[in-house]
CSV table of all heavy atoms in Angstrom, one decimal:
chain,number,residue,atom,x,y,z
A,475,PRO,N,159.7,87.2,130.7
A,475,PRO,CA,159.8,88.0,131.9
A,475,PRO,C,161.2,88.7,131.9
A,475,PRO,O,162.2,88.2,131.4
A,475,PRO,CB,159.7,87.0,133.0
A,475,PRO,CG,159.2,85.8,132.4
A,475,PRO,CD,159.6,85.8,131.0
A,476,PRO,N,161.3,89.9,132.6
A,476,PRO,CA,162.6,90.5,132.7
A,476,PRO,C,163.5,89.7,133.5
A,476,PRO,O,163.1,88.9,134.3
A,476,PRO,CB,162.2,91.8,133.5
A,476,PRO,CG,160.9,91.5,134.2
A,476,PRO,CD,160.2,90.6,133.3
A,477,SER,N,164.8,89.8,133.2
A,477,SER,CA,165.8,88.9,133.8
A,477,SER,C,165.8,89.1,135.3
A,477,SER,O,166.1,88.2,136.1
A,477,SER,CB,167.2,89.2,133.2
A,477,SER,OG,167.5,90.5,133.3
A,478,ASP,N,165.6,90.4,135.7
A,478,ASP,CA,165.5,90.7,137.2
A,478,ASP,C,164.2,91.4,137.5
A,478,ASP,O,164.2,92.6,137.5
A,478,ASP,CB,166.7,91.6,137.5
A,478,ASP,CG,166.8,91.8,139.0
A,478,ASP,OD1,165.9,91.3,139.8
A,478,ASP,OD2,167.7,92.6,139.5
A,479,PRO,N,163.2,90.7,137.7
A,479,PRO,CA,161.9,91.3,138.0
A,479,PRO,C,161.9,92.3,139.1
A,479,PRO,O,161.1,93.2,139.1
A,479,PRO,CB,160.9,90.1,138.3
A,479,PRO,CG,161.6,88.9,137.7
A,479,PRO,CD,163.1,89.2,137.9
A,480,GLN,N,162.7,92.1,140.1
A,480,GLN,CA,162.8,93.0,141.3
A,480,GLN,C,163.3,94.4,140.9
A,480,GLN,O,163.0,95.4,141.6
A,480,GLN,CB,163.6,92.4,142.4
A,480,GLN,CG,163.1,91.0,142.8
A,480,GLN,CD,161.7,91.0,143.3
A,480,GLN,OE1,161.3,92.0,144.0
A,480,GLN,NE2,160.9,90.0,143.0
A,481,ALA,N,164.1,94.4,139.8
A,481,ALA,CA,164.8,95.7,139.5
A,481,ALA,C,163.9,96.5,138.5
A,481,ALA,O,164.3,97.6,138.2
A,481,ALA,CB,166.1,95.4,138.9
A,482,LYS,N,162.8,95.9,138.0
A,482,LYS,CA,162.1,96.7,137.0
A,482,LYS,C,160.6,96.6,137.3
A,482,LYS,O,160.1,95.8,138.1
A,482,LYS,CB,162.3,96.0,135.6
A,482,LYS,CG,163.6,96.3,135.0
A,482,LYS,CD,163.7,95.7,133.6
A,482,LYS,CE,165.1,96.0,132.9
A,482,LYS,NZ,165.3,97.4,132.7
A,483,PRO,N,159.8,97.6,136.8
A,483,PRO,CA,158.4,97.5,137.0
A,483,PRO,C,157.8,96.3,136.2
A,483,PRO,O,158.5,95.7,135.5
A,483,PRO,CB,157.9,98.9,136.4
A,483,PRO,CG,158.9,99.2,135.4
A,483,PRO,CD,160.2,98.7,136.0
A,484,SER,N,156.5,96.1,136.3
A,484,SER,CA,155.8,95.1,135.6
A,484,SER,C,155.9,95.3,134.1
A,484,SER,O,155.8,96.4,133.6
A,484,SER,CB,154.3,95.0,136.0
A,484,SER,OG,153.6,94.1,135.2
A,485,GLY,N,156.2,94.2,133.4
A,485,GLY,CA,156.4,94.2,132.0
A,485,GLY,C,157.1,93.0,131.5
A,485,GLY,O,157.3,92.1,132.2
A,486,GLY,N,157.6,93.1,130.2
A,486,GLY,CA,158.3,92.0,129.6
A,486,GLY,C,159.2,92.4,128.5
A,486,GLY,O,159.2,93.6,128.1
A,487,VAL,N,159.9,91.5,127.9
A,487,VAL,CA,160.9,91.7,126.9
A,487,VAL,C,160.4,91.1,125.6
A,487,VAL,O,160.3,89.8,125.6
A,487,VAL,CB,162.3,91.2,127.3
A,487,VAL,CG1,163.3,91.4,126.2
A,487,VAL,CG2,162.7,91.8,128.6
A,488,PRO,N,160.2,91.8,124.5
A,488,PRO,CA,159.8,91.2,123.3
A,488,PRO,C,160.9,90.3,122.8
A,488,PRO,O,162.1,90.6,122.8
A,488,PRO,CB,159.6,92.4,122.3
A,488,PRO,CG,159.5,93.6,123.2
A,488,PRO,CD,160.3,93.3,124.4
A,489,GLN,N,160.5,89.1,122.2
A,489,GLN,CA,161.5,88.2,121.8
A,489,GLN,C,161.0,87.4,120.6
A,489,GLN,O,159.8,87.2,120.5
A,489,GLN,CB,162.0,87.2,122.9
A,489,GLN,CG,160.8,86.4,123.5
A,489,GLN,CD,161.3,85.4,124.5
A,489,GLN,OE1,162.5,85.2,124.8
A,489,GLN,NE2,160.3,84.8,125.2
A,490,ALA,N,161.9,86.9,119.8
A,490,ALA,CA,161.6,86.0,118.6
A,490,ALA,C,162.5,84.8,118.6
A,490,ALA,O,163.7,85.0,118.8
A,490,ALA,CB,161.7,86.8,117.3
A,491,TRP,N,162.0,83.7,118.4
A,491,TRP,CA,162.7,82.4,118.3
A,491,TRP,C,162.5,81.8,117.0
A,491,TRP,O,161.4,81.7,116.5
A,491,TRP,CB,162.3,81.5,119.4
A,491,TRP,CG,162.7,81.9,120.8
A,491,TRP,CD1,162.1,82.9,121.6
A,491,TRP,CD2,163.8,81.4,121.6
A,491,TRP,NE1,162.7,83.0,122.8
A,491,TRP,CE2,163.7,82.1,122.8
A,491,TRP,CE3,164.7,80.4,121.4
A,491,TRP,CZ2,164.7,81.9,123.8
A,491,TRP,CZ3,165.6,80.2,122.4
A,491,TRP,CH2,165.6,80.9,123.6
A,492,LYS,N,163.6,81.4,116.4
A,492,LYS,CA,163.6,80.7,115.1
A,492,LYS,C,163.3,79.2,115.3
A,492,LYS,O,164.0,78.5,116.0
A,492,LYS,CB,164.9,80.8,114.4
A,492,LYS,CG,165.0,80.1,113.0
A,492,LYS,CD,164.3,80.9,111.9
A,492,LYS,CE,164.6,80.3,110.5
A,492,LYS,NZ,163.8,81.1,109.5
A,493,LEU,N,162.1,78.7,114.8
A,493,LEU,CA,161.8,77.3,115.0
A,493,LEU,C,162.4,76.4,113.9
A,493,LEU,O,162.5,76.8,112.7
A,493,LEU,CB,160.2,77.2,114.9
A,493,LEU,CG,159.4,78.1,116.0
A,493,LEU,CD1,157.9,78.0,115.7
A,493,LEU,CD2,159.8,77.6,117.4
A,494,SER,N,162.7,75.2,114.3
A,494,SER,CA,163.3,74.3,113.3
A,494,SER,C,162.8,72.9,113.7
A,494,SER,O,162.1,72.7,114.7
A,494,SER,CB,164.8,74.3,113.2
A,494,SER,OG,165.3,73.8,114.4
A,495,ALA,N,163.2,71.9,112.9
A,495,ALA,CA,162.8,70.5,113.2
A,495,ALA,C,163.5,69.9,114.4
A,495,ALA,O,163.0,68.9,115.0
A,495,ALA,CB,163.2,69.6,112.0
A,496,ILE,N,164.5,70.6,114.9
A,496,ILE,CA,165.2,70.1,116.1
A,496,ILE,C,165.1,70.9,117.3
A,496,ILE,O,165.6,70.6,118.4
A,496,ILE,CB,166.7,69.8,115.8
A,496,ILE,CG1,167.4,71.1,115.4
A,496,ILE,CG2,166.8,68.7,114.7
A,496,ILE,CD1,168.9,70.9,115.2
A,497,GLY,N,164.5,72.1,117.2
A,497,GLY,CA,164.4,73.0,118.4
A,497,GLY,C,164.2,74.5,118.0
A,497,GLY,O,163.7,74.8,116.9
A,498,ALA,N,164.5,75.4,118.9
A,498,ALA,CA,164.3,76.8,118.7
A,498,ALA,C,165.5,77.5,119.1
A,498,ALA,O,166.2,77.2,120.0
A,498,ALA,CB,163.1,77.3,119.5
A,499,GLU,N,165.9,78.5,118.3
A,499,GLU,CA,167.1,79.3,118.5
A,499,GLU,C,166.7,80.8,118.6
A,499,GLU,O,165.9,81.3,117.8
A,499,GLU,CB,168.1,79.1,117.4
A,499,GLU,CG,169.4,79.9,117.6
A,499,GLU,CD,170.4,79.6,116.4
A,499,GLU,OE1,170.1,78.8,115.6
A,499,GLU,OE2,171.4,80.3,116.4
A,500,LYS,N,167.2,81.5,119.6
A,500,LYS,CA,166.8,82.9,119.7
A,500,LYS,C,167.2,83.7,118.5
A,500,LYS,O,168.4,83.6,118.0
A,500,LYS,CB,167.6,83.5,121.0
A,500,LYS,CG,167.3,85.0,121.2
A,500,LYS,CD,165.9,85.3,121.7
A,500,LYS,CE,165.8,85.0,123.2
A,500,LYS,NZ,166.6,85.8,124.1
A,501,ALA,N,166.3,84.4,117.9
A,501,ALA,CA,166.5,85.2,116.7
A,501,ALA,C,166.8,86.6,117.0
A,501,ALA,O,167.7,87.2,116.4
A,501,ALA,CB,165.3,85.1,115.7
Side-chain angles (χ1 to χ4, degrees):
S477 56
D478 183 3
Q480 302 301 320
K482 289 184 177 294
S484 174
V487 179
Q489 61 178 352
W491 290 77
K492 179 78 170 179
L493 303 172
S494 73
I496 60 173
E499 181 180 355
K500 178 73 74 68

